[in-house]
Amino acid sequence: MMKASPSPAPTRARAAGGLAWWSRHGALAAFAVLLILNIAITPHFLSVQTLNINLTQVCTIIIVAVGMNLVIATGGIDLSVGSLMAISGVIAPMIFMGAWAGAGHIGIAVALAVVAAVAVAGLLGVFNGWLVARFGIQPIVATLILFIAGRGIAQVLVDGNLQTFTVPEFAWIGQGALFGIPTQVFVMAAMVFAAVWTMRRTRFGRYVLAVGGNERAAVMAGLPVRRIKIAVYAVSGLCAGVAGLVVIAINSASDSNQIGLGNELDAIAAVAVGGSALTGGQARLLGTVLGALTIQLIRYTLLANGVPDAAALVVKAAVIALAVWLQQAQRRT
């Protein structure tokens, strides 16, 4: 008597469950493995200096990735964030090194510089959202405009010159510490907390996911889809503005040619590795934080053990490709 062949349904279900687990928890598993590996083979890995180095390098990426995650949750993308960082990073020194600072009002000048720089970046984010929502331009094309023109604007504002400054009241953002923890970590944590709370506790958060999950259904349900899209690009611009300030505060210098260069790709990578679907409908913000930390730790592990930076970039690209493959495989099952 012939034995009945096992039904393929349970096998498919197990495969789908496995892919879902790796898509959601793969970054955590990789991060844990990297921690154990570094503790075993990397000298001085558990030192405060090593911790501060990694936090300094990853905080700005996480800040940008928070805004990027909201944009991606609506089914969009924002390539302009690196250029918006550059604009914010050149506007601030122009203000706090200006006439008010010379007149002895440095505290007011710094406060005005921070508000103005972040506001400009946010308004440029509104411009991105307006192109996407009002004219239906593909997000990758709409944000490519400021990706190109934004850095040019930053360079024109300062004639491409390096701005150096010694302003402790401002540098504290990137160089100060509270209880031994870098100030920028608190800035990053505050922005992550605000974004997580908004997405989990507010109507706006639910609307963002609804738009990314099924835009047509969101329109038919009467949701303000255009305003939601403009809002998430504005948030992305604000996050980029804050990140630009942190970068120049760390370096006590503003270089319009280098601020934010490539950060848009790092932010997208953090979102992908963190488990948020690049097709929209998800905003795993804590996963995005973990994705950024994992990518940073991969790079640090390789560099600390003598692997050239070029090879580290290849490994990072492979990790991103694996994260995207897992998402696509999960959708097909």
Side-chain angles (χ1 to χ4, degrees), residues 19 22 319-332:
L19 289 170
W22 278 108
V319 171
I320 297 166
L322 177 61
V324 174
W325 177 83
L326 284 171
Q327 291 184 11
Q328 294 300 318
Q330 184 183 351
R331 291 180 63 195
R332 288 194 297 267

Side-chain angles (χ1 to χ4, degrees), residues 70-77 129-139 206-230 232-233 279-282:
L70 299 191
V71 171
I72 289 175
T74 63
I77 201 80
W130 180 66
L131 292 179
V132 172
R134 177 65 180 84
F135 296 101
I137 300 174
Q138 289 291 327
R206 294 192 293 273
Y207 285 179
V208 167
L209 299 181
V211 171
N214 191 325
E215 183 173 337
R216 180 174 295 182
V219 171
M220 294 178 65
L223 301 188
V225 173
R226 286 185 178 179
R227 280 184 288 169
I228 292 166
K229 286 187 175 182
I230 292 173
V232 295
Y233 283 95
T279 52
Q282 295 178 338

Side-chain angles (χ1 to χ4, degrees), residues 20-332:
W21 189 94
W22 278 108
S23 179
R24 180 178 289 272
H25 302 294
L28 178 60
F31 187 72
V33 170
L34 286 167
L35 280 180
I36 296 170
L37 180 65
N38 277 283
I39 291 172
I41 68 172
T42 304
H44 313 296
F45 177 71
L46 295 178
S47 67
V48 174
Q49 182 181 9
T50 298
L51 177 62
N52 286 343
I53 288 172
N54 282 287
L55 287 175
T56 298
Q57 293 177 350
V58 80
C59 273
T60 52
I61 301 300
I62 293 175
I63 292 171
V64 175
V66 166
M68 184 71 74
N69 204 338
L70 299 191
V71 171
I72 289 175
T74 63
I77 201 80
D78 189 353
L79 297 182
S80 71
V81 289
S83 296
L84 297 189
M85 287 175 64
I87 291 175
S88 173
V90 301
I91 288 176
M94 291 173 63
I95 295 174
F96 65 63
M97 291 194 302
W100 279 20
H105 302 293
I106 186 62
I108 297 175
V110 167
L112 180 61
V114 169
V115 172
V118 174
V120 168
L123 288 173
L124 291 173
V126 170
F127 172 76
N128 284 332
W130 180 66
L131 292 179
V132 172
R134 177 65 180 84
F135 296 101
I137 300 174
Q138 289 291 327
I140 195 170
V141 176
T143 58
L144 186 63
I145 295 171
L146 279 177
F147 170 81
I148 297 170
R151 191 165 299 278
I153 292 170
Q155 292 168 340
V156 167
L157 287 173
V158 293
D159 294 327
N161 295 323
L162 176 70
Q163 297 173 284
T164 59
F165 49 86
T166 304
V167 182
E169 293 86 350
F170 179 81
W172 183 79
I173 298 172
Q175 300 176 18
L178 290 172
F179 311 109
I181 301 173
T183 309
Q184 59 189 282
V185 175
F186 291 97
V187 175
M188 177 269 292
M191 299 191 72
V192 171
F193 175 81
V196 169
W197 185 88
T198 298
M199 293 304 295
R200 292 184 178 180
R201 300 290 184 178
T202 69
R203 182 180 302 174
F204 173 75
R206 294 192 293 273
Y207 285 179
V208 167
L209 299 181
V211 171
N214 191 325
E215 183 173 337
R216 180 174 295 182
V219 171
M220 294 178 65
L223 301 188
V225 173
R226 286 185 178 179
R227 280 184 288 169
I228 292 166
K229 286 187 175 182
I230 292 173
V232 295
Y233 283 95
V235 171
S236 182
L238 291 171
C239 290
V242 172
L245 297 181
V246 172
V247 168
I248 66 170
I250 291 171
N251 300 318
S252 290
S254 173
D255 184 354
S256 59
N257 302 299
Q258 296 297 322
I259 300 171
L261 196 63
N263 277 28
E264 60 281 334
L265 302 182
D266 288 334
I268 295 169
V271 174
V273 174
S276 293
L278 297 181
T279 52
Q282 295 178 338
R284 296 174 180 168
L285 289 160
L286 296 181
T288 294
V289 173
L290 190 59
L293 290 171
T294 301
I295 292 172
Q296 169 59 28
L297 195 52
I298 289 171
R299 184 170 182 267
Y300 175 83
T301 302
L302 295 174
L303 294 178
N305 290 279
V307 178
D309 194 34
L313 292 175
V314 173
V315 174
K316 182 168 74 171
V319 171
I320 297 166
L322 177 61
V324 174
W325 177 83
L326 284 171
Q327 291 184 11
Q328 294 300 318
Q330 184 183 351
R331 291 180 63 195
R332 288 194 297 267

